[in-house]
Amino acid sequence: MSDIRAEWEKALAEKDCEKLLELFDDYIDIIEDEETLRQKLKKLGEVAVECDDPYDLLHEIGHVYAHLDDAEAGIELYKKVAERKKDDPEEYATALYYLADAYEHFGMPDKAIETYEKLLKLEEEVLKNEREIALTLANLAVNYDELGETEKAIELMERAREIFEKLNDEKNHMISLIDLAHFHYELGNYDTAEALIREVLRNPRDDEIEINAKLVEAEIHAGREDYDKAFKALREALLKAINVNDDVFGLVFDTLIDFIEGLFNEEEYEVIARNMEGFAELFEDDTAYFFRAIAELARWRAGEEGAKERFDELYSKVENEELRSILDEWKRPKLSLSLGL
């Protein structure tokens, strides 16, 4: 422990930001009280803003401040870096991007939009890099959608899409089509959304693009209340995600769980029950029992004889605590309040 403190103080004195980033998690873990933590973060922030490439370190600092319910303190550091980089258009553009991304990450889409618009002006008037212009337009679109201004988001994403297509930037072109499909889905334009997803899925693509397209395809089917087709798209996404990485798998799995929970709330027990085996057979561990337990829970909710006993048996085989907690939540009876007025 004393070694970490000594290494930290040495790196801080030498303004060795790479070393500070390397030590960050271990050092923060040994700080026991909030006041000391804030003091250390303040000193670290003063050093970080002087780094040539401070953004990974600022990201870590920002997350700790957010944990302390003070995301603004982390944002202030990004703003100081941007101010320091103002005289170099390339460096300033990078700083503005990370500032906007921080606003977006910490749930401030209105501030993210202000910053991305400042960045767009710099890119269009000074740097004139078409690909960067398109990326900024796409980021603006996502944040306008977050604010509920979906038609504005479509307009901006269409501009980005046209640039990506002109530049033969296949990957970003496909991503823009997926985003456009999602925006149109949100407006209830299911036919337009479906046509965009079909275009993505018939083109060469990488796994993550295919997975995200399948998630939007599932949204569209669910919007039309064609839940079997939605489950099919989610199964295809999950099957592909198993072989990608943990983050992508987690995204798809969480999306699937949210979808199943929504169907439980809508009392769509039959459609849940008949679709779970397709997910169970993707796994060789207790996740298979988890999905089979969901099917029996749905049959139990529907009043099918023997379903509770089958559920209990499958539940006992689920060792993963997170999966058990999901089943625990769903098996609780819903409480209704009648005020007899």
Side-chain angles (χ1 to χ4, degrees):
M1 188 180 295
S2 57
D3 287 346
I4 293 174
R5 287 197 172 97
E7 284 187 75
W8 180 267
E9 293 302 329
K10 182 173 184 290
L12 202 63
E14 295 174 355
K15 298 184 178 181
D16 185 344
C17 292
E18 188 174 333
K19 186 65 174 178
L20 289 167
L21 181 61
E22 178 188 322
L23 295 170
F24 186 87
D25 288 339
D26 289 337
Y27 183 74
I28 293 299
D29 283 346
I30 66 175
I31 299 174
E32 295 180 354
D33 65 280
E34 183 176 324
E35 184 56 37
T36 302
L37 179 57
R38 286 184 177 276
Q39 291 172 5
K40 298 296 184 183
L41 288 174
K42 185 173 184 295
K43 285 184 181 178
L44 178 59
E46 290 168 357
V47 170
V49 297
E50 298 296 324
C51 297
D52 289 335
D53 185 6
Y55 304 109
D56 287 342
L57 189 53
L58 292 186
H59 179 78
E60 298 296 337
I61 297 169
H63 269 279
V64 178
Y65 272 124
H67 182 71
L68 297 172
D69 293 323
D70 191 9
E72 282 287 356
I75 294 287
E76 281 300 314
L77 297 176
Y78 285 95
K79 289 164 75 172
K80 286 179 180 178
V81 171
E83 187 63 29
R84 193 168 73 84
K85 305 276 191 182
K86 253 186 173 177
D87 293 337
D88 183 327
E90 290 278 0
E91 290 286 336
Y92 186 44
T94 300
L96 286 175
Y97 165 75
Y98 280 105
L99 173 59
D101 184 65
Y103 277 129
E104 185 176 346
H105 186 74
F106 293 117
M108 307 176 199
D110 52 340
K111 294 289 189 181
I113 286 170
E114 287 179 20
T115 310
Y116 278 129
E117 285 179 341
K118 191 181 294 186
L119 174 58
L120 183 64
K121 188 171 187 289
L122 177 64
E123 287 166 341
E124 289 180 332
E125 295 180 2
V126 179
L127 299 174
K128 302 183 188 300
N129 182 316
E130 285 194 282
R131 184 175 180 275
E132 293 301 323
I133 289 169
L135 288 169
T136 302
L137 287 167
N139 284 320
L140 273 167
V142 169
N143 282 277
Y144 271 109
D145 179 63
E146 190 68 24
L147 290 178
E149 297 186 42
T150 306
E151 290 181 355
K152 176 72 171 175
I154 288 173
E155 174 194 328
L156 291 164
M157 193 63 76
E158 280 288 0
R159 287 174 59 193
R161 181 197 63 76
E162 288 173 5
I163 296 172
F164 290 135
E165 187 173 28
K166 184 178 77 171
L167 296 175
N168 293 316
D169 186 338
E170 182 71 12
K171 182 171 183 176
N172 280 309
H173 182 225
M174 292 296 106
I175 292 170
S176 69
L177 292 178
I178 293 170
D179 285 330
L180 281 168
H182 175 69
F183 298 158
H184 280 289
Y185 154 79
E186 288 187 316
L187 293 178
N189 303 331
Y190 299 143
D191 290 346
T192 302
E194 189 171 38
L196 288 163
I197 289 300
R198 277 201 303 267
E199 184 175 347
V200 173
L201 292 174
R202 70 168 169 257
N203 277 279
R205 57 196 179 272
D206 66 16
D207 287 344
E208 285 194 45
I209 287 176
E210 182 176 0
I211 288 164
N212 281 287
K214 284 292 177 183
L215 293 181
V216 176
E217 184 181 42
E219 283 185 327
I220 297 163
H221 290 314
R224 289 173 168 154
E225 299 185 5
D226 193 339
Y227 301 131
D228 288 314
K229 284 186 178 179
F231 271 126
K232 181 177 183 292
L234 286 167
R235 185 186 185 280
E236 290 167 351
L238 192 65
L239 177 60
K240 183 71 69 172
I242 288 171
N243 298 314
V244 178
N245 60 54
D246 289 344
D247 288 342
V248 172
F249 177 82
L251 169 66
V252 179
F253 193 87
D254 290 346
T255 302
L256 172 61
I257 294 305
D258 288 345
F259 180 55
I260 295 170
E261 183 171 19
L263 291 179
F264 267 116
N265 292 336
E266 295 295 322
E267 300 183 358
E268 293 283 351
Y269 304 131
E270 184 180 343
V271 73
I272 296 171
R274 70 171 172 260
N275 279 284
M276 290 304 98
E277 184 59 30
F279 293 97
E281 66 188 18
L282 299 179
F283 299 92
E284 296 179 357
D285 60 8
D286 61 338
T287 311
Y289 297 124
F290 168 72
F291 282 111
R292 291 184 178 117
I294 293 173
E296 294 305 334
L297 178 58
R299 295 185 181 106
W300 175 15
R301 287 276 179 266
E304 184 175 318
E305 187 175 348
K308 181 186 183 302
E309 290 73 19
R310 295 192 297 272
F311 170 80
D312 289 339
E313 182 180 353
L314 289 161
Y315 176 86
S316 69
K317 296 178 180 179
V318 178
E319 297 179 1
N320 183 293
E321 289 298 325
E322 290 184 20
L323 299 181
R324 286 175 72 96
S325 69
I326 293 169
L327 295 173
D328 288 338
E329 180 66 28
W330 290 354
K331 73 180 181 181
R332 290 194 188 103
K334 285 186 180 178
L335 298 178
S336 60
L337 182 63
S338 177
L339 296 179
L341 297 176

